Amino acid sequence: RRFMIVRRSPSNPNKWRFLTQRQCPVLATIKADVIIHNDDDGRGVNEQLMVSATDQSLSFTQKVQEMETATIKSSIAINTSEDVILRSDRIVAGIWDDEVIVADIGGEAASQYLYEIIKQIDPVETGVNSPSDVKLVSILPMDQHVRPSDGEYLPLEALRLGIAPHVALSDGYPILIASESSLVELNRRLSSNGKKRNPHESIPPEYCCKGG
């Protein structure tokens, strides 16, 4: 995970915290695609992150056909090339118990775009009261900042020369694995307690095992 949406920390306005789908379910309706462009002169590669509002992004409070005429645009393109990341402002962001240095690659345009979607959720849940409370950030190149894996659940076999594997902006480990049966059981328990079932795509592991 190279990119992340963060909100201003309620305990320290100078720091930021990752914003999850649990806090803001409408994030599940946002689509992100990385697009690679080769320079005309063949000397380099430009990379863009295309963030798009899907048909469901406005379903909370607005009609889908209002998408283009409302304040929210259907998509926004953000330059995510390494030279842009290196020139971007850096902020400290929290991911669970970790603090990482990240690059604010979206700027005001991305903050405004994301706010138009996030504001449909109660600010008490999201902590986002204005565009200045949300940012789109990127991990830095490894020679600029390194985040080791969480050592609490790291098996000794995963250590390389006594050093924990590096992880990007995912929860805590380079690879997340879930079993399909555990996700089915989760939904069974939710249903039995009268709660809404959780779609599997809202729990995005790198690998989902079946029949193991």
Side-chain angles (χ1 to χ4, degrees):
R1 185 186 301 166
R2 293 173 52 202
F3 309 109
M4 180 171 65
I5 296 173
V6 297
R7 63 184 174 92
R8 198 179 296 277
S9 172
S11 60
N12 186 341
N14 295 319
K15 291 187 177 182
W16 300 77
R17 291 285 298 172
F18 71 139
L19 183 63
T20 71
Q21 291 181 26
R22 299 178 188 87
Q23 299 162 315
C24 187
V26 74
L27 291 182
T29 70
I30 299 175
K31 184 171 180 271
D33 296 290
V34 174
I35 302 173
I36 306 296
H37 300 280
N38 290 315
D39 289 347
D40 293 337
D41 58 8
R43 294 182 179 178
V45 175
N46 287 324
E47 181 185 274
Q48 281 188 327
L49 178 67
M50 184 68 68
V51 180
S52 306
T54 64
D55 289 347
Q56 293 79 32
S57 294
L58 295 181
S59 62
F60 286 82
T61 58
Q62 300 180 25
K63 296 180 180 178
V64 173
Q65 53 263 38
E66 294 176 353
M67 180 79 72
E68 294 295 344
T69 58
T71 55
I72 180 175
K73 299 178 182 178
S74 59
S75 63
I76 184 172
I78 299 151
N79 191 330
T80 55
S81 299
E82 185 170 309
D83 60 327
V84 173
I85 291 174
L86 292 175
R87 295 198 308 268
S88 298
D89 293 337
R90 300 185 183 187
I91 62 173
V92 177
I95 310 175
W96 300 114
D97 294 331
D98 293 343
E99 285 192 343
V100 295
I101 300 174
V102 291
D104 176 12
I105 56 170
E108 293 182 2
S111 294
Q112 181 68 50
Y113 181 82
L114 293 170
Y115 174 69
E116 293 298 333
I117 298 174
I118 293 171
K119 73 178 182 181
Q120 300 172 81
I121 305 298
D122 189 340
V124 173
E125 299 292 331
T126 65
V128 177
N129 294 284
S130 71
S132 63
D133 290 332
V134 61
K135 291 181 181 291
L136 177 66
V137 301
S138 168
I139 192 170
L140 293 173
M142 287 185 62
D143 61 343
Q144 300 288 317
H145 183 74
V146 171
R147 178 190 175 206
S149 299
D150 186 346
E152 184 174 358
Y153 302 104
L154 189 68
L156 293 177
E157 293 80 1
L159 296 176
R160 292 174 294 185
L161 301 177
I163 301 174
H166 298 155
V167 64
L169 299 178
S170 49
D171 283 350
Y173 301 93
I175 299 175
L176 301 178
I177 301 175
S179 68
E180 187 178 81
S181 59
S182 68
L183 299 178
V184 170
E185 175 63 14
L186 170 64
N187 279 324
R188 186 193 69 77
R189 295 187 184 189
L190 288 172
S191 295
S192 65
N193 285 285
K195 297 182 179 180
K196 185 178 180 181
R197 293 171 63 86
N198 204 335
H200 290 182
E201 58 268 22
S202 71
I203 308 174
E206 277 78 14
Y207 298 98
C208 187
C209 305
K210 181 179 180 179

